[in-house]
Amino acid sequence: MQFASRLANVETSAIRELFKLLGKPGIISFAGGFPDSAMFDVDGIREASERALREEPGAALQYGATEGYQPLREQLSAFMGDKGAQGVRPDDLIVTTGSQQALDLLGKTLISPGDKVIVEGPTFLATIQCFRLYGAELVSAPVDGQGVDPDALERLIEEHRPKFVYLIPTFGNPSGALLPLERRRKILEMAVRHQTLIVEDDPYGDLYFGEAPPPSLLALSATVPGSRELLVHCGSLSKVLSPGLRVGWLIAPAELLAKATMCKQFSDAHTSTFAQATAAQYLRAGRMPATLAKVRSVYAERAATMGDALRRELGDAIDFVQPQGGLFVWARLTGAGGAVADGNVFAKQAIDQGVAFVPGTPFFCAHPDHATLRLSFATADVGKIREGVSRLGRALRG
C-alpha cells in the first residue's frame, strides 16, 4: 500500500509504546500524562448532561455550528475573563475537539513543508509529531527551571525567521516549568519587535499549588501594545474537568480563526454538540471553582510527596525543580556516585523493579538530553508514590 509521503516525517509515540509494557501485575506507573479519574466531578457532569437534555435536547443532539455551540462559547468567554484575559468575545474563539485539534488546525493552516517552527526543548510530544506531519522543520529553544530562555529564543527568531513559536509557559508538559512574569513580557515584546506569531498552549494553567501563576500571555498582551494580534491561545477542559468531553478552544486573530474554522469543517464538521452542551451547563452552574480547589489540593500533596521521596531515595543522583503546579516532575539524572545517568536505561531497570516513567528523550525535537525523565504524580496516591519512588531507588542502585 502506498502511503502519503508526509508519514515519513513521524513515528509511533514512544509513550504509547511504553504503555505496552505496563501490563505487569503490581506495577506502579508514573508514566501517564492524564488526570486522576477519581478527581472527576461525576455528579456535576451528570447533572449538567441531564440539564442539557432537559432544557435544550434538540441543540444538544443535533448537528451544530463548526465554530462551536454558542452558549459554550459565551461561557468560555466568561471563563477566560475570570482568568484575566479581558475582551475575549465569544466570536474570538472556536471550540475544538480537545486542544490537540487546535494544534492540528494550526498545522493545517500555517505550516507548509520546510517552514521553520520554534518549540521548547523539551516540549509536548504530540506537538512535535503534529507539526512534523505537516512538514515543519522544528527548531529547539533551550529551557531551564523557569521555562524558555527569552534571550536564546530571540537569537533563534533572528536566525531562523520561524512561521511561529510554540510555547507552554505555565507548568508545561513535560518540563513542569513556570515562566516568570518578566520572561512573559519579554516574549510578547520580542513578538512585536520581530512580528513573530506566538502560540500559547495552556492546558495546565489552572492546576496551580498555592499562589496563582503570572497572567497568561493572552491576559498580559493587553499591556504590550501590538502583541494581541500576534498571539494564539489554546485552552482545554481536559485536565481540569474531563478528557472524555474532548472540549478545547482556540483563540486567534480573526483571519487565522476563519481559516481554522474552514479546515475544521473538513475534519469533523463540529465538536460533539452533546459534549459542548454538557460543558456549557457545567460552567453555567458555577461548579468549576470548587472542582479546581479540590484538584489543586490533591495534586499539590502528591507533588510534594514525590519531591520529598525523590530527594530521600535518589539523593544527589537526580536533579529537578519542585513543580508549583501541573502534573509532572521533570528530572535529570546526574550520575553521582556512579549511578545510571541515561533515562532510557534507567526506565528499563525501573520496569524490572515494578515502576514506570517516561524517558525524556522523545520530548526533544533535536539534541535530546538522554539523562532526562518525566514523572507524573497525578494518578498515584501518596502511598503508591512513596512505594514507587522507593522502587526507583532500588532500580538506581542496581
CSV table of all heavy atoms in Angstrom, one decimal, residues 327-350:
chain,number,residue,atom,x,y,z
A,327,LEU,N,1.1,18.5,36.3
A,327,LEU,CA,1.0,17.1,36.6
A,327,LEU,C,2.3,16.4,36.7
A,327,LEU,O,2.4,15.2,36.9
A,327,LEU,CB,0.1,16.4,35.5
A,327,LEU,CG,-1.3,16.9,35.3
A,327,LEU,CD1,-1.9,16.1,34.2
A,327,LEU,CD2,-2.1,16.8,36.6
A,328,PHE,N,3.5,17.1,36.5
A,328,PHE,CA,4.7,16.4,36.2
A,328,PHE,C,5.9,17.0,37.0
A,328,PHE,O,6.0,18.1,37.3
A,328,PHE,CB,5.1,16.6,34.7
A,328,PHE,CG,4.0,16.1,33.8
A,328,PHE,CD1,3.3,17.1,33.1
A,328,PHE,CD2,3.6,14.8,33.6
A,328,PHE,CE1,2.3,16.7,32.2
A,328,PHE,CE2,2.6,14.4,32.8
A,328,PHE,CZ,1.9,15.4,32.1
A,329,VAL,N,6.8,16.0,37.3
A,329,VAL,CA,8.2,16.3,37.7
A,329,VAL,C,9.1,16.0,36.5
A,329,VAL,O,9.1,14.9,36.0
A,329,VAL,CB,8.6,15.5,38.9
A,329,VAL,CG1,10.1,15.7,39.2
A,329,VAL,CG2,7.8,15.9,40.2
A,330,TRP,N,9.9,17.0,36.1
A,330,TRP,CA,10.9,16.8,35.1
A,330,TRP,C,12.2,16.8,35.8
A,330,TRP,O,12.6,17.7,36.5
A,330,TRP,CB,10.8,18.0,34.1
A,330,TRP,CG,11.8,17.9,33.0
A,330,TRP,CD1,12.9,18.8,32.8
A,330,TRP,CD2,11.8,17.1,31.8
A,330,TRP,NE1,13.6,18.5,31.7
A,330,TRP,CE2,12.9,17.4,31.0
A,330,TRP,CE3,11.0,16.0,31.4
A,330,TRP,CZ2,13.2,16.7,29.9
A,330,TRP,CZ3,11.3,15.3,30.3
A,330,TRP,CH2,12.4,15.7,29.5
A,331,ALA,N,12.9,15.7,35.6
A,331,ALA,CA,14.1,15.4,36.3
A,331,ALA,C,15.3,15.1,35.4
A,331,ALA,O,15.1,14.7,34.2
A,331,ALA,CB,13.9,14.3,37.3
A,332,ARG,N,16.5,15.2,36.0
A,332,ARG,CA,17.7,14.8,35.2
A,332,ARG,C,18.6,14.0,36.1
A,332,ARG,O,18.9,14.4,37.2
A,332,ARG,CB,18.4,16.1,34.8
A,332,ARG,CG,19.5,15.9,33.8
A,332,ARG,CD,20.2,17.2,33.3
A,332,ARG,NE,21.0,16.9,32.2
A,332,ARG,CZ,22.3,16.5,32.3
A,332,ARG,NH1,22.8,16.3,33.5
A,332,ARG,NH2,23.0,16.2,31.2
A,333,LEU,N,19.0,12.9,35.6
A,333,LEU,CA,20.0,12.0,36.3
A,333,LEU,C,21.4,12.6,36.2
A,333,LEU,O,21.8,13.0,35.1
A,333,LEU,CB,20.0,10.6,35.7
A,333,LEU,CG,18.7,9.9,35.7
A,333,LEU,CD1,18.7,8.6,34.9
A,333,LEU,CD2,18.3,9.5,37.1
A,334,THR,N,22.1,12.7,37.4
A,334,THR,CA,23.4,13.3,37.4
A,334,THR,C,24.5,12.3,37.3
A,334,THR,O,25.7,12.7,37.0
A,334,THR,CB,23.5,14.1,38.7
A,334,THR,OG1,23.6,13.2,39.8
A,334,THR,CG2,22.4,15.1,38.9
A,335,GLY,N,24.2,11.1,37.6
A,335,GLY,CA,25.3,10.1,37.6
A,335,GLY,C,26.1,10.1,38.8
A,335,GLY,O,27.2,9.4,38.9
A,336,ALA,N,25.7,10.8,39.8
A,336,ALA,CA,26.5,10.9,41.1
A,336,ALA,C,26.7,9.6,41.7
A,336,ALA,O,25.8,8.7,41.7
A,336,ALA,CB,25.8,11.9,42.0
A,337,GLY,N,27.9,9.3,42.2
A,337,GLY,CA,28.2,8.1,42.9
A,337,GLY,C,28.2,6.9,41.9
A,337,GLY,O,28.1,5.7,42.4
A,338,GLY,N,28.4,7.2,40.6
A,338,GLY,CA,28.4,6.1,39.6
A,338,GLY,C,27.1,5.5,39.3
A,338,GLY,O,27.0,4.5,38.6
A,339,ALA,N,26.0,6.2,39.7
A,339,ALA,CA,24.6,5.7,39.4
A,339,ALA,C,24.4,5.9,37.9
A,339,ALA,O,25.0,6.7,37.2
A,339,ALA,CB,23.6,6.5,40.2
A,340,VAL,N,23.4,5.2,37.4
A,340,VAL,CA,23.0,5.3,36.0
A,340,VAL,C,22.7,6.7,35.6
A,340,VAL,O,22.1,7.5,36.4
A,340,VAL,CB,21.8,4.4,35.6
A,340,VAL,CG1,20.6,4.7,36.4
A,340,VAL,CG2,21.5,4.4,34.2
A,341,ALA,N,23.0,7.2,34.4
A,341,ALA,CA,22.8,8.6,34.0
A,341,ALA,C,22.1,8.7,32.7
A,341,ALA,O,22.0,9.7,32.1
A,341,ALA,CB,24.1,9.4,33.9
A,342,ASP,N,21.5,7.6,32.3
A,342,ASP,CA,20.8,7.5,31.0
A,342,ASP,C,19.3,7.2,31.3
A,342,ASP,O,19.0,6.1,31.9
A,342,ASP,CB,21.4,6.5,30.0
A,342,ASP,CG,20.7,6.5,28.7
A,342,ASP,OD1,19.5,6.4,28.6
A,342,ASP,OD2,21.5,6.7,27.7
A,343,GLY,N,18.4,8.1,31.0
A,343,GLY,CA,17.0,7.9,31.3
A,343,GLY,C,16.4,6.6,30.6
A,343,GLY,O,15.5,6.0,31.2
A,344,ASN,N,16.8,6.3,29.4
A,344,ASN,CA,16.3,5.1,28.7
A,344,ASN,C,16.7,3.9,29.4
A,344,ASN,O,15.9,2.9,29.6
A,344,ASN,CB,16.8,5.1,27.2
A,344,ASN,CG,16.2,6.3,26.5
A,344,ASN,OD1,15.0,6.3,26.1
A,344,ASN,ND2,17.0,7.3,26.2
A,345,VAL,N,18.0,3.8,29.8
A,345,VAL,CA,18.5,2.6,30.6
A,345,VAL,C,17.8,2.5,31.9
A,345,VAL,O,17.4,1.4,32.3
A,345,VAL,CB,20.0,2.8,30.8
A,345,VAL,CG1,20.5,1.6,31.7
A,345,VAL,CG2,20.7,2.7,29.4
A,346,PHE,N,17.7,3.7,32.6
A,346,PHE,CA,17.0,3.7,33.9
A,346,PHE,C,15.6,3.2,33.8
A,346,PHE,O,15.0,2.5,34.7
A,346,PHE,CB,17.1,5.1,34.5
A,346,PHE,CG,16.6,5.2,35.9
A,346,PHE,CD1,16.8,4.2,36.8
A,346,PHE,CD2,16.0,6.4,36.3
A,346,PHE,CE1,16.4,4.3,38.1
A,346,PHE,CE2,15.6,6.5,37.6
A,346,PHE,CZ,15.8,5.5,38.5
A,347,ALA,N,14.9,3.6,32.7
A,347,ALA,CA,13.5,3.2,32.5
A,347,ALA,C,13.3,1.7,32.5
A,347,ALA,O,12.4,1.1,33.1
A,347,ALA,CB,12.9,3.8,31.3
A,348,LYS,N,14.2,1.0,31.8
A,348,LYS,CA,14.2,-0.5,31.7
A,348,LYS,C,14.5,-1.1,33.1
A,348,LYS,O,13.9,-2.1,33.5
A,348,LYS,CB,15.2,-1.0,30.7
A,348,LYS,CG,14.8,-0.5,29.3
A,348,LYS,CD,15.9,-0.9,28.3
A,348,LYS,CE,15.6,-0.5,26.9
A,348,LYS,NZ,16.7,-0.8,25.9
A,349,GLN,N,15.4,-0.5,33.8
A,349,GLN,CA,15.7,-1.0,35.2
A,349,GLN,C,14.6,-0.8,36.1
A,349,GLN,O,14.3,-1.7,37.0
A,349,GLN,CB,17.0,-0.3,35.7
A,349,GLN,CG,18.3,-0.6,35.0
A,349,GLN,CD,19.4,0.2,35.5
A,349,GLN,OE1,19.3,1.2,36.2
A,349,GLN,NE2,20.6,-0.1,35.0
A,350,ALA,N,13.9,0.3,35.9
A,350,ALA,CA,12.7,0.6,36.8
A,350,ALA,C,11.5,-0.4,36.5
A,350,ALA,O,10.9,-0.8,37.4
A,350,ALA,CB,12.2,2.1,36.5
